[in-house]
Amino acid sequence: MIQSFNKYIGVFILMVLLSSCAKDFESLNTDPNRPKEVNPGVMLGQLQYRFVTSSITAARNFTHELMQVDAPRSSPGGVGLHRYVVNPGAGVWTNFYNYLIDVEDIYTISDKLNEPNYKAIALIYKAWSYSILTDLYGDVPFSEASKATEGKFQPAFDKQKDIYTKILADLETANGLINTSKALTYGGDIVYNANVLTGSVNQGMVKWKRFCNSLKLRLLLRISKRNDEMNVNSQINAMLADPVKYPMFVTNADEAILRFTGSFPYFNPYYNARQLEWRDGTYFTKFFLDKMNTDNDPRRVLWSTTITVNGAPAYVGIESGYPASTEYQVGRNSSYNDVLRTFPQMGIMMTLAELEFIRAELALKGFNTGRTARQHYESGITASMAQWGVTMPAGFLNQSGIAYNASATNDQQLEQIMLQKYYAYFFVDYQSWFEKRRTGYPVLPRGTGIPAENKFPSRVPYPTYLQSLNAENLAKAVASMGGDNSDSKVWWEK
């Protein structure tokens, strides 16, 4: 009996000691400088960096080749984006859907904490990222996406029209949620630094509001062919008529650009790129450079390397869509300037230049923007120069090839606007491709190495791994889209 009692006491003491040790261990291994609970500020900065590095990488690896900004030095297989061959999933599907989980978490946590500014930022990122996803692929998972915790492991694909309806509504909600007299409680914003108040106004949240509405105007113009279904013109008119309720970019300081600090962990993603990866395997095209050469465009000095021609530096491009037998020599044509690898303003989501070109097109179509199409066009060029930190030559806007042709037809004026918008889209995700699909501009020369059957692509085929992960819903989406190939047009193109 006594032995049994002593054994019981021993076990009890051991349990107390183990419990005490566990508490001591937990105390010793708790970082007092780290938050005990996840808050939106902890997640926001990392999310912003990952989103923008994915989007500008997509611009360099996808859009620039497809839209004849650059072309590979050698392309012997007869395929490649410059020959209009688009591989399934060659986009941001995996990355963006991973990041959207964090967007949903930021919104949910912020809602519980009663933090409307974080909720608004989450909605803006949701609209921005889903607009890119649906313009890339067409119908994509939306209403059931990022809901694995609710058992939605095989989400349905939403119609593009329904996605646009929801993201436009989300931007309207975000615009109303933003409180410009309150700082972000938990910080974390590395785009606009809305973490602090300057006097009684949070200038960062003012800029978030301007980005929100500038983005909304981009998306309304994108679906303008669907005015009868979406009442697009009325929405545009309402925004243009009330700049107090719907403020948009005013200066370059308003632009949605993550400025890379050059310190860990927020490096320009090309900082450590090897010369072979950065420029030896890729050259700018003749289409891209010849126009800049003719115009003496100052942006080429920042963007491009030179080669020596007849003893003088020159910007020289190559053909796009060239025959498979063609191979260009290393170092014999112009490629990406190394300056861009450490350039802080590379993290571009949307710019003042783009907004001015949007307004130029709207003014051309008869909308009351408060200025003429020519004024917006010239402001767009000026804003792009300022964005890249280059000095525009005297008389640049009045020289042949740049001067706005007010006596031309509307279509010719639109072509002129869209060509300058194309240059302003340098390193901006997929936007120049989306706008080419919407307007037909710029007119790109067709390379002699592009097979006759290859059409200019209208979308990216879905990632192949969806056939095993979400086969049933994928099949429904493919049937609805009329096929899963790069020729299938999305809803707003038809």
Side-chain angles (χ1 to χ4, degrees):
M1 184 73 168
I2 292 175
Q3 290 178 342
S4 178
F5 178 76
N6 288 340
K7 182 179 180 181
Y8 173 80
I9 291 296
V11 171
F12 176 76
I13 292 172
L14 180 61
M15 291 176 64
V16 171
L17 289 172
L18 288 173
S19 176
S20 176
C21 289
K23 290 179 180 177
D24 289 343
F25 180 82
E26 181 179 355
S27 176
L28 288 170
N29 286 275
T30 299
D31 184 349
N33 297 315
R34 296 183 67 182
K36 294 181 180 179
E37 296 181 358
V38 175
N39 63 60
V42 171
M43 305 171 68
L44 181 57
Q46 296 178 27
L47 176 67
Q48 291 174 321
Y49 180 78
R50 287 181 291 170
F51 258 137
V52 80
T53 53
S54 289
S55 69
I56 67 172
T57 300
R60 168 70 198 274
N61 295 343
F62 184 98
T63 312
H64 284 189
E65 181 177 339
L66 181 60
M67 289 298 295
Q68 295 192 26
V69 173
D70 66 33
R73 183 181 61 80
S74 175
S75 184
V79 293
L81 288 163
H82 67 120
R83 298 190 183 105
Y84 303 161
V85 178
V86 182
N87 294 323
V92 293
W93 181 288
T94 303
N95 285 342
F96 270 27
Y97 273 112
N98 284 335
Y99 306 156
L100 280 162
I101 296 172
D102 285 348
V103 170
E104 295 291 347
D105 286 344
I106 288 175
Y107 185 89
T108 301
I109 294 168
S110 302
D111 190 44
K112 292 178 181 178
L113 295 172
N114 191 27
E115 293 285 347
N117 280 344
Y118 284 106
K119 289 172 64 177
I121 291 172
L123 289 175
I124 293 168
Y125 271 113
K126 185 175 181 178
W128 173 77
S129 54
Y130 271 114
S131 70
I132 292 173
L133 283 168
T134 189
D135 290 348
L136 266 177
Y137 300 97
D139 299 348
V140 298
F142 179 85
S143 57
E144 294 184 359
S146 305
K147 297 186 183 299
T149 56
E150 300 175 20
K152 304 289 186 181
F153 298 108
Q154 296 177 318
F157 287 59
D158 295 70
K159 302 285 189 183
Q160 186 175 57
K161 176 184 176 180
D162 297 333
I163 295 170
Y164 260 90
T165 299
K166 186 61 171 69
I167 60 179
L168 289 169
D170 282 346
L171 289 172
E172 184 75 19
T173 300
N175 185 55
L177 281 172
I178 290 174
N179 182 349
T180 59
S181 62
K182 186 178 186 301
L184 290 177
T185 305
Y186 304 97
D189 178 21
I190 61 175
V191 173
Y192 288 130
N193 191 30
N195 313 314
V196 295
L197 279 176
T198 303
S200 60
V201 179
N202 186 335
Q203 294 296 337
M205 290 313 302
V206 170
K207 293 174 182 179
W208 274 111
K209 198 176 184 77
R210 289 175 179 165
F211 175 33
C212 175
N213 294 305
S214 300
L215 175 61
K216 186 176 180 182
L217 197 65
R218 170 203 277 181
L219 301 184
L220 286 170
L221 183 59
R222 180 70 42 78
I223 62 171
S224 54
K225 290 181 180 178
R226 294 296 189 172
N227 176 56
D228 291 344
E229 296 177 56
M230 299 286 288
N231 204 22
V232 174
N233 291 350
S234 293
Q235 293 186 67
I236 292 175
N237 282 325
M239 295 187 73
L240 296 175
D242 196 346
V244 175
K245 182 178 180 180
Y246 299 107
M248 301 182 206
F249 296 152
V250 177
T251 69
N252 287 97
D254 296 332
E255 295 171 319
I257 297 177
L258 190 156
R259 289 162 174 81
F260 298 109
T261 63
S263 58
F264 183 82
Y266 302 118
F267 287 103
N268 181 317
Y270 297 108
Y271 179 79
N272 289 318
R274 296 179 302 170
Q275 180 173 313
L276 176 64
E277 300 164 334
W278 176 243
R279 55 185 169 89
D280 281 356
T282 306
Y283 289 140
F284 285 120
T285 69
K286 290 178 62 64
F287 175 80
F288 186 73
L289 280 183
D290 285 359
K291 168 68 174 171
M292 299 186 86
N293 286 334
T294 300
D295 298 336
N296 193 28
D297 192 314
R299 289 171 293 189
R300 70 189 169 154
V301 178
L302 176 69
W303 293 350
S304 176
T305 60
T306 60
I307 63 168
T308 301
V309 178
N310 297 325
Y315 299 92
V316 180
I318 66 173
E319 300 292 341
S320 177
Y322 53 78
S325 58
T326 299
E327 182 173 339
Y328 292 93
Q329 295 181 18
V330 175
R332 298 296 297 273
N333 291 278
S334 297
S335 189
Y336 291 89
N337 194 329
D338 284 343
V339 172
L340 296 174
R341 294 166 58 192
T342 56
F343 197 69
Q345 299 97 293
M346 284 279 285
I348 308 165
M349 290 179 284
M350 189 172 181
T351 66
L352 174 63
E354 179 187 351
L355 178 63
E356 285 299 318
F357 290 125
I358 288 171
R359 289 179 179 273
E361 182 178 345
L362 291 174
L364 184 64
K365 293 179 175 179
F367 288 89
N368 182 10
T369 65
R371 302 174 74 197
T372 66
R374 175 177 181 168
Q375 288 173 320
H376 286 302
Y377 166 81
E378 292 178 348
S379 292
I381 296 173
T382 303
S384 182
M385 301 294 178
Q387 173 198 332
W388 290 100
V390 299
T391 301
M392 187 163 61
F396 184 82
L397 295 175
N398 297 319
Q399 69 184 31
S400 177
I402 294 293
Y404 189 76
N405 190 350
S407 62
T409 66
N410 271 27
D411 196 55
Q412 289 170 331
Q413 290 176 41
L414 177 61
E415 182 177 5
Q416 190 173 15
I417 291 167
M418 296 307 298
L419 181 57
Q420 286 302 320
K421 192 177 187 181
Y422 163 79
Y423 284 102
Y425 272 140
F426 191 61
F427 271 101
V428 184
D429 56 80
Y430 303 93
Q431 296 305 313
S432 66
W433 177 41
F434 297 159
E435 290 294 86
K436 162 72 172 174
R437 287 157 47 190
R438 181 180 69 85
T439 66
Y441 298 121
V443 177
L444 301 173
R446 186 180 178 92
T448 57
I450 301 176
E453 65 273 16
N454 289 13
K455 300 177 183 178
F456 186 79
S458 287
R459 61 180 290 274
V460 173
Y462 294 117
T464 54
Y465 62 74
L466 294 177
Q467 296 172 9
S468 58
L469 295 180
N470 197 5
E472 183 177 348
N473 287 317
L474 174 64
K476 292 178 182 178
V478 170
S480 175
M481 292 280 298
D484 185 22
N485 55 66
S486 61
D487 297 337
S488 303
K489 295 186 180 299
V490 302
W491 163 75
W492 54 256
E493 284 183 275
K494 297 175 181 176

